[in-house]
Coordinates of all heavy atoms in Angstrom, one line a residue:
M1 N -6.4 13.2 34.8 CA -5.4 14.1 34.3 C -4.0 13.7 34.6 O -3.5 13.8 35.8 CB -5.6 15.4 35.0 CG -6.3 16.4 34.2 SD -5.8 18.0 34.4 CE -7.4 18.7 34.6
H2 N -3.3 13.1 33.7 CA -2.1 12.6 33.9 C -1.0 13.2 32.9 O -1.3 13.3 31.8 CB -2.0 11.0 33.7 CG -2.7 10.4 34.7 ND1 -2.3 10.2 36.0 CD2 -4.0 9.8 34.7 CE1 -3.2 9.5 36.7 NE2 -4.3 9.3 35.9
H3 N 0.1 13.6 33.5 CA 1.2 14.1 32.6 C 2.4 13.2 32.7 O 2.9 12.9 33.8 CB 1.5 15.5 33.1 CG 0.5 16.5 33.0 ND1 0.3 17.3 31.8 CD2 -0.5 16.9 33.8 CE1 -0.8 18.0 32.0 NE2 -1.3 17.8 33.1
D4 N 2.9 12.8 31.6 CA 4.0 11.9 31.6 C 5.3 12.6 31.9 O 6.3 11.9 32.3 CB 4.1 11.2 30.2 CG 2.9 10.3 30.0 OD1 2.5 9.6 30.9 OD2 2.4 10.2 28.8
H5 N 5.4 13.9 31.7 CA 6.6 14.5 31.9 C 6.5 15.3 33.2 O 5.4 15.8 33.6 CB 6.9 15.5 30.8 CG 5.8 16.6 30.5 ND1 5.9 17.8 31.1 CD2 4.7 16.5 29.8 CE1 4.8 18.4 30.8 NE2 4.1 17.8 30.0
D6 N 7.6 15.5 33.9 CA 7.6 16.2 35.2 C 8.7 17.2 35.2 O 9.1 17.6 36.3 CB 7.7 15.2 36.3 CG 9.0 14.4 36.3 OD1 9.7 14.6 35.4 OD2 9.2 13.7 37.3
H7 N 9.2 17.6 34.1 CA 10.2 18.6 34.0 C 9.7 20.0 34.4 O 8.6 20.3 34.1 CB 11.0 18.6 32.8 CG 10.1 19.0 31.6 ND1 9.9 20.4 31.3 CD2 9.4 18.3 30.7 CE1 9.1 20.4 30.3 NE2 8.8 19.3 29.9
D8 N 10.6 20.8 35.0 CA 10.2 22.1 35.3 C 10.9 23.1 34.4 O 12.1 23.3 34.6 CB 10.5 22.4 36.8 CG 10.1 23.8 37.2 OD1 9.6 24.5 36.4 OD2 10.2 24.1 38.4
S9 N 10.3 23.5 33.4 CA 11.0 24.3 32.4 C 11.4 25.7 32.9 O 12.3 26.3 32.4 CB 10.1 24.6 31.1 OG 8.9 25.3 31.6
A10 N 10.9 26.1 34.1 CA 11.3 27.4 34.7 C 12.6 27.3 35.4 O 13.2 28.2 35.7 CB 10.2 27.8 35.6
A11 N 13.0 26.0 35.6 CA 14.2 25.7 36.5 C 15.4 25.2 35.6 O 16.2 24.4 36.1 CB 13.9 24.8 37.6
T12 N 15.5 25.7 34.4 CA 16.6 25.3 33.6 C 17.4 26.4 33.1 O 16.9 27.6 33.0 CB 16.1 24.5 32.3 OG1 15.2 25.3 31.6 CG2 15.4 23.2 32.7
A13 N 18.7 26.1 32.8 CA 19.6 27.2 32.3 C 20.3 26.5 31.1 O 20.3 25.3 30.9 CB 20.6 27.6 33.3
V14 N 20.9 27.4 30.3 CA 21.6 26.9 29.1 C 23.1 27.1 29.3 O 23.6 28.2 29.7 CB 21.2 27.6 27.9 CG1 22.0 27.1 26.7 CG2 19.7 27.4 27.6
D15 N 23.9 26.0 29.2 CA 25.3 26.1 29.3 C 25.8 26.9 28.1 O 25.6 26.6 27.0 CB 25.8 24.7 29.1 CG 27.4 24.5 29.3 OD1 28.0 25.5 28.8 OD2 27.8 23.5 29.7
P16 N 26.5 28.1 28.4 CA 26.9 29.0 27.3 C 28.0 28.4 26.5 O 28.2 29.0 25.3 CB 27.3 30.3 28.0 CG 27.8 29.8 29.4 CD 26.9 28.6 29.7
V17 N 28.7 27.4 26.9 CA 29.8 26.9 26.1 C 29.4 25.9 25.1 O 29.7 26.0 23.9 CB 30.9 26.2 27.1 CG1 32.0 25.6 26.4 CG2 31.4 27.3 28.1
C18 N 28.5 24.9 25.5 CA 28.1 23.9 24.6 C 26.7 23.9 24.2 O 26.3 23.3 23.3 CB 28.4 22.5 25.3 SG 27.4 22.1 26.6
G19 N 25.9 24.9 24.8 CA 24.6 25.0 24.5 C 23.6 24.0 25.0 O 22.4 24.1 24.7
M20 N 24.1 23.1 25.8 CA 23.2 22.1 26.5 C 22.3 22.8 27.6 O 22.7 23.7 28.2 CB 24.1 21.1 27.1 CG 23.5 19.9 27.6 SD 24.8 18.7 28.2 CE 23.9 17.9 29.5
T21 N 21.1 22.2 27.7 CA 20.2 22.6 28.8 C 20.7 22.0 30.1 O 21.0 20.8 30.2 CB 18.8 22.2 28.5 OG1 18.4 22.9 27.3 CG2 17.9 22.6 29.6
V22 N 20.9 22.9 31.1 CA 21.4 22.4 32.4 C 20.4 22.7 33.5 O 19.8 23.8 33.5 CB 22.7 23.1 32.7 CG1 23.2 22.7 34.1 CG2 23.7 22.8 31.6
D23 N 20.2 21.8 34.4 CA 19.4 22.0 35.6 C 20.2 22.7 36.6 O 21.2 22.1 37.1 CB 18.8 20.7 36.1 CG 17.9 20.9 37.3 OD1 17.9 22.0 37.9 OD2 17.2 20.0 37.7
P24 N 19.9 23.9 37.0 CA 20.8 24.6 38.0 C 21.0 23.9 39.3 O 22.1 24.0 39.9 CB 20.0 26.0 38.2 CG 19.2 26.2 37.0 CD 18.9 24.8 36.5
A25 N 20.1 23.0 39.6 CA 20.1 22.3 40.9 C 21.2 21.2 40.8 O 21.7 20.7 41.8 CB 18.8 21.7 41.2
T26 N 21.5 20.7 39.6 CA 22.4 19.7 39.4 C 23.6 20.0 38.5 O 24.3 19.1 38.0 CB 21.7 18.4 38.8 OG1 21.1 18.8 37.6 CG2 20.6 17.9 39.7
A27 N 23.8 21.3 38.2 CA 24.9 21.7 37.4 C 26.2 21.3 37.9 O 26.4 21.3 39.1 CB 24.8 23.2 37.2
A28 N 27.1 20.9 37.0 CA 28.4 20.4 37.4 C 29.3 21.6 38.0 O 30.1 21.4 38.8 CB 29.1 19.7 36.3
A29 N 29.0 22.8 37.5 CA 29.8 24.0 37.9 C 29.0 25.2 37.6 O 28.1 25.3 36.7 CB 31.1 24.0 37.1
T30 N 29.3 26.3 38.4 CA 28.7 27.5 38.1 C 29.7 28.7 38.1 O 30.8 28.5 38.7 CB 27.6 27.9 39.2 OG1 28.3 28.1 40.5 CG2 26.5 26.9 39.3
R31 N 29.5 29.7 37.4 CA 30.4 30.9 37.4 C 29.6 32.1 37.4 O 28.4 32.1 36.8 CB 31.2 30.8 36.1 CG 32.3 29.8 36.0 CD 33.3 29.9 37.1 NE 34.3 28.9 37.0 CZ 34.3 27.7 37.5 NH1 33.3 27.3 38.2 NH2 35.3 26.8 37.3
E32 N 30.0 33.2 38.0 CA 29.4 34.4 38.0 C 30.2 35.4 37.2 O 31.4 35.5 37.4 CB 29.1 35.0 39.4 CG 28.1 36.1 39.4 CD 27.7 36.5 40.8 OE1 27.3 35.6 41.6 OE2 27.8 37.7 41.1
H33 N 29.6 36.1 36.3 CA 30.3 37.1 35.4 C 29.4 38.2 35.2 O 28.2 38.0 34.7 CB 30.7 36.4 34.1 CG 31.4 37.3 33.1 ND1 32.7 37.7 33.3 CD2 30.8 38.0 32.1 CE1 33.0 38.5 32.3 NE2 31.8 38.8 31.6
D34 N 29.8 39.5 35.4 CA 29.1 40.6 35.2 C 27.8 40.6 35.8 O 26.7 41.1 35.3 CB 28.9 40.9 33.7 CG 30.2 41.4 33.0 OD1 31.1 41.6 33.7 OD2 30.2 41.4 31.8
G35 N 27.7 39.9 37.0 CA 26.4 39.9 37.8 C 25.5 38.8 37.3 O 24.4 38.7 37.8
V36 N 25.9 38.0 36.3 CA 25.1 36.9 35.8 C 25.7 35.6 36.2 O 26.9 35.4 36.1 CB 24.9 37.1 34.3 CG1 24.0 35.9 33.7 CG2 24.4 38.4 33.9
T37 N 24.8 34.7 36.7 CA 25.3 33.3 37.0 C 25.1 32.4 35.9 O 24.0 32.3 35.3 CB 24.6 32.8 38.2 OG1 24.7 33.7 39.3 CG2 25.1 31.5 38.6
F38 N 26.2 31.8 35.5 CA 26.1 30.8 34.4 C 26.2 29.4 34.9 O 26.9 29.1 35.9 CB 27.2 31.0 33.4 CG 27.2 32.4 32.7 CD1 27.8 33.5 33.3 CD2 26.4 32.5 31.5 CE1 27.7 34.7 32.6 CE2 26.4 33.8 30.9 CZ 26.9 34.9 31.4
F39 N 25.6 28.4 34.3 CA 25.6 27.0 34.8 C 26.2 26.2 33.7 O 25.9 26.4 32.5 CB 24.2 26.6 35.1 CG 23.5 27.4 36.2 CD1 22.8 28.6 35.9 CD2 23.6 27.0 37.5 CE1 22.2 29.3 36.9 CE2 23.1 27.8 38.5 CZ 22.4 28.9 38.3
F40 N 27.0 25.2 34.1 CA 27.7 24.3 33.2 C 27.4 22.9 33.4 O 27.2 22.4 34.5 CB 29.2 24.6 33.3 CG 29.5 26.1 33.1 CD1 29.6 26.9 34.1 CD2 29.7 26.5 31.8 CE1 29.8 28.3 33.9 CE2 30.0 27.9 31.5 CZ 30.1 28.8 32.6
C41 N 27.4 22.1 32.2 CA 27.1 20.7 32.3 C 28.3 19.9 32.9 O 28.2 18.7 33.3 CB 26.7 20.2 31.0 SG 28.1 20.2 29.8
S42 N 29.5 20.6 32.7 CA 30.7 19.8 33.1 C 31.8 20.8 33.6 O 31.7 22.0 33.3 CB 31.3 18.9 32.0 OG 31.7 19.8 31.0
L43 N 32.8 20.3 34.3 CA 33.9 21.2 34.6 C 34.7 21.6 33.4 O 35.2 22.7 33.4 CB 34.8 20.4 35.7 CG 34.3 20.2 37.0 CD1 35.3 19.4 37.9 CD2 34.0 21.6 37.7
G44 N 34.7 20.8 32.4 CA 35.4 21.2 31.2 C 34.8 22.5 30.6 O 35.5 23.3 30.1
C45 N 33.4 22.5 30.5 CA 32.8 23.6 30.0 C 33.1 24.9 30.9 O 33.3 26.0 30.4 CB 31.3 23.5 29.9 SG 30.9 22.4 28.5
A46 N 33.1 24.7 32.2 CA 33.4 25.8 33.1 C 34.8 26.3 32.9 O 35.1 27.5 32.9 CB 33.3 25.3 34.6
K47 N 35.7 25.4 32.7 CA 37.2 25.8 32.4 C 37.3 26.6 31.1 O 38.0 27.6 31.0 CB 38.1 24.6 32.3 CG 38.3 24.0 33.8 CD 39.3 22.8 33.7 CE 39.4 22.2 35.2 NZ 40.3 21.0 35.1
A48 N 36.5 26.2 30.1 CA 36.5 26.9 28.8 C 36.0 28.3 29.1 O 36.5 29.3 28.4 CB 35.7 26.1 27.7
F49 N 35.0 28.4 29.9 CA 34.4 29.7 30.2 C 35.5 30.6 30.9 O 35.6 31.7 30.7 CB 33.1 29.6 31.1 CG 32.5 30.8 31.3 CD1 31.5 31.4 30.5 CD2 32.7 31.4 32.6 CE1 30.9 32.6 30.8 CE2 32.1 32.6 32.9 CZ 31.2 33.2 32.0
D50 N 36.1 30.0 31.9 CA 37.2 30.6 32.7 C 38.2 31.2 31.7 O 38.7 32.3 32.0 CB 37.8 29.7 33.7 CG 36.9 29.4 34.8 OD1 36.0 30.1 35.0 OD2 37.2 28.4 35.5
A51 N 38.6 30.5 30.7 CA 39.7 30.9 29.8 C 39.3 32.1 29.0 O 40.2 32.9 28.6 CB 40.0 29.8 28.9
D52 N 38.0 32.3 28.7 CA 37.5 33.4 27.9 C 36.1 33.8 28.2 O 35.2 33.5 27.4 CB 37.7 33.0 26.5 CG 37.6 34.3 25.5 OD1 37.4 35.4 26.1 OD2 37.7 34.1 24.3
P53 N 35.9 34.3 29.4 CA 34.5 34.5 29.8 C 33.7 35.5 28.9 O 32.5 35.2 28.8 CB 34.6 35.0 31.2 CG 36.0 35.5 31.4 CD 36.8 34.7 30.5
H54 N 34.3 36.4 28.4 CA 33.6 37.3 27.5 C 33.2 36.7 26.2 O 32.1 37.1 25.6 CB 34.4 38.6 27.2 CG 34.5 39.5 28.4 ND1 35.2 40.7 28.4 CD2 33.9 39.5 29.6 CE1 35.1 41.3 29.6 NE2 34.2 40.5 30.3
R55 N 33.9 35.7 25.8 CA 33.5 35.0 24.6 C 32.1 34.3 24.8 O 31.3 34.3 23.9 CB 34.5 34.0 24.2 CG 34.1 33.1 23.0 CD 35.3 32.2 22.7 NE 34.9 31.2 21.6 CZ 35.7 30.2 21.2 NH1 36.9 30.1 21.7 NH2 35.3 29.4 20.3
Y56 N 31.9 33.8 26.0 CA 30.7 33.0 26.2 C 29.7 33.9 27.1 O 28.5 33.6 27.0 CB 31.1 31.7 27.0 CG 32.0 30.9 26.3 CD1 33.4 30.7 26.7 CD2 31.6 30.1 25.2 CE1 34.2 29.9 26.0 CE2 32.5 29.4 24.5 CZ 33.8 29.2 24.9 OH 34.7 28.4 24.2
G57 N 30.2 34.8 27.8 CA 29.3 35.6 28.7 C 28.5 36.6 28.0 O 27.5 37.1 28.4
H58 N 29.0 37.0 26.8 CA 28.4 38.0 26.0 C 28.2 37.5 24.5 O 28.8 38.0 23.6 CB 29.2 39.3 25.9 CG 29.5 39.8 27.3 ND1 28.5 40.4 28.1 CD2 30.6 39.8 28.1 CE1 29.1 40.7 29.3 NE2 30.4 40.3 29.3
P59 N 27.4 36.5 24.4 CA 27.3 35.8 23.1 C 26.8 36.7 21.9 O 27.1 36.5 20.8 CB 26.3 34.7 23.3 CG 25.6 35.1 24.5 CD 26.5 35.8 25.4
T60 N 26.1 37.8 22.3 CA 25.5 38.7 21.2 C 26.3 39.9 21.0 O 26.0 40.7 20.2 CB 24.0 39.0 21.6 OG1 24.0 39.7 22.8 CG2 23.2 37.8 21.7
A61 N 27.3 40.0 21.9 CA 28.2 41.3 21.8 C 29.1 41.3 20.6 O 29.5 40.2 20.2 CB 28.9 41.5 23.1
Ligands
LIG1 ZN1 28.6 22.0 28.6
LIG2 ZN1 31.9 40.6 30.7

């Protein structure tokens, strides 16, 4: 029984700015908004979030 992949799908998050899948353990930056923690692939994405958190923090609102 061999599995070629070893990713843990339960330990991933989505960068709300660029939509990229981010591993919370290695995320470049994190932000907390309305009690929700967001993970970012880069500081640039985190800065974009800082500039307008509601735009990204509430994508369906
Ligand atoms: Zn990003
Ligand atoms: Zn909010």
Side-chain angles (χ1 to χ4, degrees):
M1 257 213 232
H2 295 282
H3 293 272
D4 291 324
H5 60 92
D6 63 357
H7 65 84
D8 183 357
S9 61
T12 58
V14 175
D15 182 327
V17 176
C18 69
M20 188 177 147
T21 299
V22 178
D23 181 345
T26 59
T30 63
R31 293 292 186 274
E32 194 172 310
H33 177 80
D34 289 349
V36 179
T37 302
F38 296 91
F39 299 90
F40 302 92
C41 68
S42 68
L43 288 176
C45 284
K47 284 181 180 178
F49 183 85
D50 287 341
D52 193 358
H54 284 177
R55 175 178 173 184
Y56 301 108
H58 306 283
T60 59

